[in-house]
Structure formats: C-alpha cells, structure tokens
Amino acid sequence: MAENLLHLVFGGKVADPQTLDFVDVEDLDIVGIFPNYKTAFDAWKGASQANVDDAMTKYVVVHLHRFMEPEKQ
C-alpha cells in the first residue's frame, strides 16, 4: 500500500495577491484534505479557477505530511 502524504487545500481573501496575508481567517474556504499531491493540486486548480475573476482570492496547498513527520524531510 502506498504511503499517504496528506495535503490541505484552502483559500480566501488576501490583503495583497503577492502575499499569503489572509484578511479574514475566520472566513477561509477549506477545500479539503487529500491523500497525495496530485489530488490536492487538482482541487487547488479547480478552486482557483472558480475564483479567477477575483484577484484578491488565493488558494494554497499545504504539505501536511511535512508537519506531521518533519524528520523525513
């Protein structure tokens, strides 16, 4: 069985589209947690494309597995 490398995808309004300074962290859109980068990337791409007309909305992929087992980096 392949090892799960968990990834979190979320997004929201940012103060500056070149940063990750989210304006309202209580109103973040949590897309989900995914078992590998490919499915997380696909979810990120879908959420990003759905909000393409709003330059102040940004979605990110967080590599949760790196936080859970930092010694494996």
Side-chain angles (χ1 to χ4, degrees):
M1 184 166 118
E3 180 180 12
N4 284 332
L5 299 176
L6 298 178
H7 294 78
L8 166 67
V9 178
F10 73 93
K13 300 278 185 192
V14 290
D16 178 346
Q18 294 185 346
T19 70
L20 291 175
D21 183 17
F22 289 97
V23 175
D24 186 3
V25 295
E26 293 183 12
D27 193 33
L28 292 175
D29 177 19
I30 308 298
V31 178
I33 297 175
F34 302 89
N36 55 57
Y37 182 76
K38 167 129 179 43
T39 56
F41 178 82
D42 291 344
W44 166 83
K45 188 174 180 181
S48 294
Q49 287 178 344
N51 290 281
V52 72
D53 291 333
D54 184 356
M56 301 308 281
T57 297
K58 181 180 263 189
Y59 283 83
V60 295
V61 176
V62 178
H63 301 265
L64 290 179
H65 60 93
R66 292 181 181 167
F67 293 102
M68 295 169 63
E69 297 181 293
E71 67 280 353
K72 286 189 175 183
Q73 288 188 34

